Amino acid sequence: MTNTPDPAGPNAGGPTKWKDLEMKDSNRKALIAILILIIIVGVVGAALLTLQITPDEQGIHDSTYPYTTTYQASLPDGERVRVGNLDILAMQTGDRVALRIGNHREEMKLGETRNIGAKVFSIRIFGAPVFETGYEIDATWTGVQKDKEIFRIVLRTNRQVPEWLINRIIPKSMEAVPA
């Protein structure tokens, strides 16, 4: 047996070349990046799938509502609109509008205001509340425009609701713009 020294340098050849080692290292990094991406997408997907918006929980009566926002809102006539887990339906019947919010039904004349009060709005992810506020609403039916019932909505809350959150929970079929 003769002793021969190892080949010197990265280009000397042999069973493992430097380029092969670099490829294996970059493949390993790519695999780790893909696994991390899959985990992040899975967690975000699970969070979105468990997102619960519950706008109709019973609130505490005697609450104060220091934050007020007024909206001009339109609901499609005779079509069910879903705000979170709450169904809303407005349907014109002659000179009146029948308004159903959840299981609560109202019939309103033009210009008439109804109070929907002492409710709690909460957003939960994985069952844990991430945002919660008490609220009360005054809704005034102001008329019909094409096939939509128009309401003036005064929303009072005991915690300020960010505009991006309002935009997230209002469905596309219901238009609501600050008035």
Side-chain angles (χ1 to χ4, degrees):
M1 266 183 146
T2 59
N3 277 342
T4 58
D6 287 336
N11 296 327
T16 315
K17 295 182 179 178
W18 285 101
K19 287 185 179 181
D20 291 341
L21 287 175
E22 288 175 7
M23 283 294 267
K24 288 181 184 178
D25 190 41
S26 68
N27 287 345
R28 188 174 300 126
K29 286 180 182 175
L31 182 61
I32 290 171
I34 289 171
L35 287 174
I36 290 172
L37 183 64
I38 289 171
I39 290 170
I40 291 171
V41 167
V43 168
V44 170
L48 291 176
L49 289 176
T50 62
L51 175 69
Q52 295 176 333
I53 301 171
T54 311
D56 200 26
E57 298 174 13
Q58 285 301 325
I60 300 168
H61 290 288
D62 302 334
S63 290
T64 59
Y65 303 104
Y67 301 99
T68 302
T69 308
T70 303
Y71 294 95
Q72 173 90 8
S74 64
L75 293 166
D77 186 52
E79 288 182 37
R80 184 181 97 177
V81 174
R82 209 161 160 84
V83 177
N85 301 345
L86 183 67
D87 284 329
I88 300 173
L89 177 68
M91 189 171 3
Q92 185 180 6
T93 57
D95 63 340
R96 295 177 177 262
V97 68
L99 181 64
R100 188 187 79 204
I101 301 174
N103 293 327
H104 183 77
R105 298 172 195 269
E106 294 280 347
E107 193 170 299
M108 302 169 69
K109 293 187 262 183
L110 190 63
E112 188 174 358
T113 300
R114 293 291 171 96
N115 179 271
I116 302 155
K119 302 284 183 183
V120 174
F121 170 87
S122 66
I123 296 178
R124 298 174 184 271
I125 296 178
F126 298 123
V130 292
F131 183 85
E132 195 168 271
T133 185
Y135 74 92
E136 130 178 320
I137 293 175
D138 286 333
T140 305
W141 182 45
T142 61
V144 180
Q145 210 172 50
K146 295 184 183 176
D147 61 343
K148 300 207 179 232
E149 305 299 331
I150 309 298
F151 292 88
R152 180 175 175 270
I153 307 286
V154 178
L155 172 66
R156 288 184 290 282
T157 60
N158 59 11
R159 182 174 172 194
Q160 190 160 12
V161 181
E163 190 64 31
W164 65 266
L165 184 57
I166 294 286
N167 293 335
R168 169 92 168 96
I169 63 171
I170 300 293
K172 300 286 185 232
S173 59
M174 178 182 175
E175 296 171 17
V177 293

